[in-house]
């Protein structure tokens, strides 16, 4: 196949505005429910990026990894506790390029095979997916690309080498060397050492590399000992002293994000707030490149409901309300299938759905348990609540929160927690919810794009002012805001945030929904109008060309 498709990877004529050749490296891509190579927000963002790149005819190629077991399949065990299952996946729509090439990991040869997702399958820019799970490798090498974000440290480091070095080497092999290498988060960092070994000049690396940092969380800014990274061949056989010099390292550890910022010409945070947080985190360090903001976005063309879209275009309130109730019923079929509970489409329905990480506080609504009970059990103007989301499979706190919520609410007719939070369920929840609840600890939510796709589908955001939300929110007009107060006490913080959440919910959201449906409809419509085009990924990928690739 090697020679049959590489002459013209893009099935469209490149728009001259987007002619610069870009390779976009990401550990995960959420492109379609059937292609399970993503875990959460980073993947959803990358998938929308490739869709908009296709729609706008950009000269961009995606580089990722073919995860044989995906992230994991989220199921219940016999005692109704969450369990992570790892099941092999097969994809007939991926093309075998016939390209197999060696890279070095832990001073040993590992063979990498390249698969190709043709743009016409899902309407994306061309995407290459790399795998080591092939007969040409030994058992240990085959496991490298089996599980996304493998818990074994050596395997995680090896995965970065496959993405960064394997991706760059593939581009050289197919004769498609880009003008810009875009690292979406620090996972592909070995790329910079590959390029340095190729050009022997750190300025030549910086001139070609741009970087997006996605989180202020420690887990998203990996740091490991230089000795381990050298042993794993992460540094691409560059002498340690030379690595220290070009990456400006004085100690014995290497931070992925800081090194990426030092060996890129420009970087971006993923919201206005996050860019400021990233600047304060990193710009006191020597040699850090400028950090601007390009706010994340999602692909409206993919995520929107066509009937809701028709209603908003024609200013048809009757159709909007009718369709929203239909979408609630569709979601409630899934709830009934998973839980045996039949929810009421006339009842105000809140959804909290995203990755189960401690700082996202899935359980904040339960903090005042008596008030929560009163709201879900009362006969007059009650609420229904649905949770969904996947914890990292080794995150004991996240799994404990998930199980705690499940065993707390399973006895209530108006509450449910769902498993399998992937693209299909995500769409059902966004289209079928009345209120999209988000209550992270600020400023730890870098972006939080799920609220954007909720707003595209007439779900009203109810959120703390963090990530993208301050760029959108107008309290009582297109959303509802949970105001926070600074405190160093996590107990006091959860107390006061819960009080404010319940105050707005009980005094503003519930009365508006039940007693002033005309105003509620107005808020839904305003949200749908305000979210587009500012939070559509067409705007985002255009800004990447204008502010990052052509800077």
């Amino acid at each position: 196949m090697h020679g049959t498709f590489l002459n013209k990877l893009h099935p469209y004529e490149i728009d001259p505005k987007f002619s610069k050749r870009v390779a976009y490296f990401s550990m995960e891509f959420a492109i379609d429910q059937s292609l399970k190579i993503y875990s959460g927000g980073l993947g959803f963002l990358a998938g929308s990026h490739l869709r908009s790149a296709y729609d706008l005819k950009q000269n961009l190629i995606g580089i990722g990894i073919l995860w044989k077991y995906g992230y994991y399949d989220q199921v219940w065990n016999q005692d109704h506790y969450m369990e992570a299952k790892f099941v092999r996946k097969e994809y007939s729509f991926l093309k075998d390029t016939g390209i197999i090439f060696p890279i070095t990991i832990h001073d040993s040869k590992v063979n990498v095979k390249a698969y190709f997702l043709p743009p016409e399958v899902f309407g994306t820019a061309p995407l290459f997916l790399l795998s080591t799970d092939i007969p040409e490798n030994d058992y240990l090498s085959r496991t490298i690309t089996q599980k996304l974000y493998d818990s074994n440290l050596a395997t995680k480091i090896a995965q970065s080498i496959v993405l960064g070095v394997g991706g760059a080497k593939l581009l050289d092999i197919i004769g498609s060397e880009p003008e810009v290498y875009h690292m979406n988060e620090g996972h592909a960092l070995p790329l910079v050492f590959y390029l340095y070994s190729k050009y022997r000049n750190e300025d030549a690396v910086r001139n070609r590399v741009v970087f997006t940092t996605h989180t202020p969380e420690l887990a998203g800014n990996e740091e490991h000992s230089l000795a381990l990274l050298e042993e794993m061949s992460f540094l691409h056989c560059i002498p340690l002293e030379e690595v220290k010099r070009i990456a400006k390292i004085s100690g014995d550890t290497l931070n992925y994000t800081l090194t990426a910022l030092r060996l890129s010409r420009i970087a971006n945070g993923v919201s206005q707030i996050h860019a400021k947080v990233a600047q304060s985190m990193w710009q006191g360090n020597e040699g850090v490149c400028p950090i601007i903001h390009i706010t994340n976005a999602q692909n409206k063309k993919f995520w929107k409901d066509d009937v809701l879209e028709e209603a908003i275009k024609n200013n048809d309130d009757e159709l909007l309300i009718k369709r929203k109730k239909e979408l609630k019923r569709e979601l409630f079929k899934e709830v009934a299938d998973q839980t045996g509970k039949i929810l009421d489409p006339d009842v105000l329905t809140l959804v909290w759905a995203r990755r189960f990480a401690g700082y996202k506080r899935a359980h904040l609504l339960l903090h005042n348990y008596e008030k929560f009970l009163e709201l879900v059990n009362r006969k007059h103007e009650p609420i229904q609540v649905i949770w969904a989301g996947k914890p990292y499979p080794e995150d004991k706190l996240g799994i404990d929160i998930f199980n705690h919520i499940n065993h707390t609410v399973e006895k209530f007719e108006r509450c449910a927690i769902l498993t399998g939070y992937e693209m299909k369920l995500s769409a059902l929840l966004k289209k079928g919810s009345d209120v999209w609840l988000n209550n992270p600890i600020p400023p730890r939510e870098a972006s939080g794009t799920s609220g954007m796709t909720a707003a595209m589908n007439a779900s009203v955001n109810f959120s703390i002012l963090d990530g993208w939300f301050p760029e959108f929110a107008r309290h009582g007009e297109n959303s509802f805001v949970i105001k926070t107060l600074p405190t160093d006490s996590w107990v006091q913080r959860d107390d006061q945030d819960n009080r404010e959440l319940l105050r707005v919910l009980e005094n503003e959201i519930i009365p508006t929904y039940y007693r002033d449906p005309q105003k509620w409809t107005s808020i839904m419509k305003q949200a749908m109008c305000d979210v587009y085009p500012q939070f559509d990924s067409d705007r985002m990928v255009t800004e990447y060309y204008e502010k990052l690739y052509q800077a």
Side-chain angles (χ1 to χ4, degrees):
M1 182 182 177
H2 192 157
T4 63
F5 74 104
L6 294 178
N7 292 334
K8 188 169 173 60
L9 292 172
H10 298 83
Y12 46 77
E13 292 301 318
I14 302 295
D15 186 318
K17 295 198 301 288
F18 307 119
S19 61
K20 186 165 275 193
R21 297 187 309 279
V22 178
Y24 180 86
F25 289 69
S26 184
M27 203 62 127
E28 48 174 303
F29 289 90
I31 286 168
D32 188 81
Q33 171 69 20
S34 62
L35 183 56
K36 301 174 188 296
I37 55 169
Y38 60 91
S39 72
L42 185 74
F44 278 61
L45 179 278
S48 281
H49 197 127
L50 292 199
R51 284 185 177 277
S52 282
Y54 175 90
D55 292 340
L56 298 184
K57 299 178 171 55
Q58 294 186 340
N59 196 2
L60 181 141
I61 295 171
I63 303 288
I65 291 181
L66 180 59
W67 303 107
K68 199 64 178 178
Y69 294 104
Y71 185 42
Y72 69 88
D73 294 318
Q74 187 185 29
V75 298
W76 299 112
N77 68 13
Q78 61 185 12
D79 296 318
H80 219 238
Y81 286 90
M82 198 205 91
E83 186 174 320
K85 286 220 175 256
F86 295 92
V87 181
R88 293 178 71 88
K89 310 292 191 292
E90 302 292 340
Y91 306 108
S92 65
F93 49 79
L94 294 180
K95 303 300 182 187
D96 183 346
T97 66
I99 300 171
I100 298 176
F101 59 92
I103 62 172
T104 301
I105 299 175
H106 209 268
D107 287 335
S108 300
K109 184 179 87 167
V110 174
N111 292 296
V112 176
K113 186 167 195 169
Y115 293 86
F116 183 66
L117 177 64
E120 59 271 16
V121 175
F122 297 120
T124 63
L127 174 62
F128 287 97
L129 297 172
L130 307 176
S131 176
T132 64
D133 192 8
I134 55 176
E136 289 80 359
N137 285 324
D138 61 28
Y139 170 77
L140 200 59
S141 298
R142 293 186 70 155
T143 65
I144 295 170
T145 60
Q146 288 183 349
K147 298 177 184 177
L148 173 59
Y149 304 133
D150 197 294
S151 59
N152 180 276
L153 177 56
T155 308
K156 276 184 73 176
I157 293 170
Q159 291 174 346
S160 285
I161 299 169
V162 172
L163 180 63
V165 174
K169 193 167 182 180
L170 171 67
L171 293 168
D172 286 347
I173 289 168
I174 66 175
S176 188
E177 183 180 4
E179 296 168 88
V180 178
Y181 296 83
H182 181 178
M183 293 192 295
N184 186 39
E185 215 22 292
H187 306 114
L189 186 65
L191 162 70
V192 300
F193 300 114
Y194 175 87
L195 294 176
Y196 181 77
S197 68
K198 182 176 176 179
Y199 296 108
R200 307 309 301 179
N201 182 297
E202 58 260 44
D203 287 333
V205 176
R206 284 191 201 96
N207 289 338
R208 289 169 169 82
V209 176
V210 300
F211 173 59
T212 300
T213 176
H214 279 270
T215 177
E217 289 297 291
L218 186 63
N221 297 281
E222 283 188 74
E223 187 167 321
H224 301 301
S225 78
L226 279 165
L228 174 62
L229 296 177
E230 183 179 40
E231 182 185 333
M232 289 292 302
S233 309
F234 187 97
L235 309 174
H236 208 63
C237 301
I238 300 168
L240 211 50
E241 288 308 309
E242 202 165 352
V243 169
K244 286 188 167 188
R245 179 182 63 78
I246 65 172
K248 297 178 172 54
I249 297 170
S250 56
D252 297 318
T253 61
L254 181 147
N255 183 286
Y256 286 24
T257 304
L258 184 55
T259 304
L261 290 168
R262 284 170 166 163
L263 288 169
S264 300
R265 74 165 184 265
I266 190 168
N268 73 287
V270 290
S271 67
Q272 289 179 6
I273 285 180
H274 177 237
K276 291 175 183 173
V277 170
Q279 288 162 7
S280 67
M281 282 176 68
W282 304 112
Q283 285 195 328
N285 294 281
E286 180 191 359
V288 167
C289 68
I291 304 172
I292 64 169
H293 91 270
I294 298 175
T295 299
N296 277 349
Q298 291 292 346
N299 186 265
K300 182 183 177 184
K301 181 178 164 186
F302 176 80
W303 286 103
K304 69 178 172 63
D305 177 75
D306 289 337
V307 180
L308 289 177
E309 184 74 1
E310 179 190 345
I312 201 74
K313 280 183 178 175
N314 297 328
N315 198 27
D316 188 337
D317 290 2
E318 185 179 343
L319 179 61
L320 181 73
I321 294 162
K322 178 174 177 282
R323 180 56 176 166
K324 192 64 185 177
K325 195 156 285 189
E326 288 173 353
L327 291 168
K328 287 178 79 172
R329 289 192 181 100
E330 287 300 309
L331 168 60
F332 295 168
K333 286 178 187 176
E334 179 66 21
V335 174
D337 184 38
Q338 287 203 28
T339 69
K341 299 177 182 180
I342 297 178
L343 301 186
D344 184 345
D346 291 322
V347 171
L348 176 65
T349 302
L350 282 72
V351 168
W352 189 104
R354 54 192 41 82
R355 185 166 58 88
F356 263 73
Y359 77 91
K360 293 179 184 282
R361 298 190 292 184
H363 53 314
L364 186 66
L365 184 59
L366 303 173
H367 191 72
N368 182 337
Y369 187 60
E370 290 72 23
K371 174 54 71 174
F372 170 77
L373 283 182
E374 193 268 316
L375 290 173
V376 298
N377 287 329
R378 66 190 187 179
K379 291 181 180 177
H380 181 62
E381 298 182 348
I383 64 169
Q384 294 171 152
V385 188
I386 303 169
W387 286 266
K390 286 185 175 183
Y392 174 63
E394 302 294 329
D395 178 4
K396 187 176 184 305
L397 174 60
I399 293 170
D400 284 349
I401 292 170
F402 187 94
N403 288 326
H404 166 70
I405 292 173
N406 174 52
H407 289 294
T408 300
V409 306
E410 62 185 350
K411 55 185 172 288
F412 302 133
E413 290 183 9
R414 294 190 178 122
C415 295
I417 189 164
L418 306 180
T419 58
Y421 187 58
E422 295 174 357
M423 294 180 79
K424 183 179 178 182
L425 180 56
S426 178
L428 278 172
L429 289 162
K430 289 160 180 172
K431 292 173 182 179
S433 56
D434 295 308
V435 172
W436 194 259
L437 177 62
N438 188 29
N439 44 242
I441 300 169
R444 296 169 68 179
E445 181 89 285
S447 186
T449 57
S450 65
M452 301 172 186
T453 38
M456 291 171 186
N457 290 286
S459 181
V460 176
N461 276 267
F462 180 30
S463 179
I464 279 170
L465 286 168
D466 200 12
W468 77 287
F469 193 57
E471 300 171 45
F472 168 82
R474 287 182 287 134
H475 181 80
E477 294 181 40
N478 67 3
S479 58
F480 292 92
V481 173
I482 304 166
K483 293 180 181 175
T484 58
L485 297 171
T487 177
D488 293 328
S489 164
W490 66 269
V491 175
Q492 185 180 10
R493 180 193 60 224
D494 286 356
D495 281 345
Q496 62 193 24
D497 290 354
N498 172 264
R499 278 197 302 273
E500 178 66 4
L501 187 161
L502 291 172
R503 185 194 69 77
V504 176
L505 178 59
E506 192 167 24
N507 298 341
E508 299 186 55
I509 294 175
I510 291 173
T512 304
Y513 179 83
Y514 284 108
R515 301 173 209 169
D516 195 348
Q518 189 172 354
K519 183 175 182 189
W520 188 264
T521 303
S522 171
I523 294 169
M524 287 196 297
K525 289 166 64 178
Q526 195 63 55
M528 292 181 73
C529 292
D530 290 350
V531 80
Y532 182 82
Q534 183 59 23
F535 301 99
D536 177 71
S537 53
D538 285 5
R539 183 274 308 160
M540 179 187 74
V541 302
T542 299
E543 284 195 10
Y544 271 108
Y545 260 89
E546 292 172 349
K547 297 182 178 181
L548 230 63
Y549 305 156
Q550 293 169 346

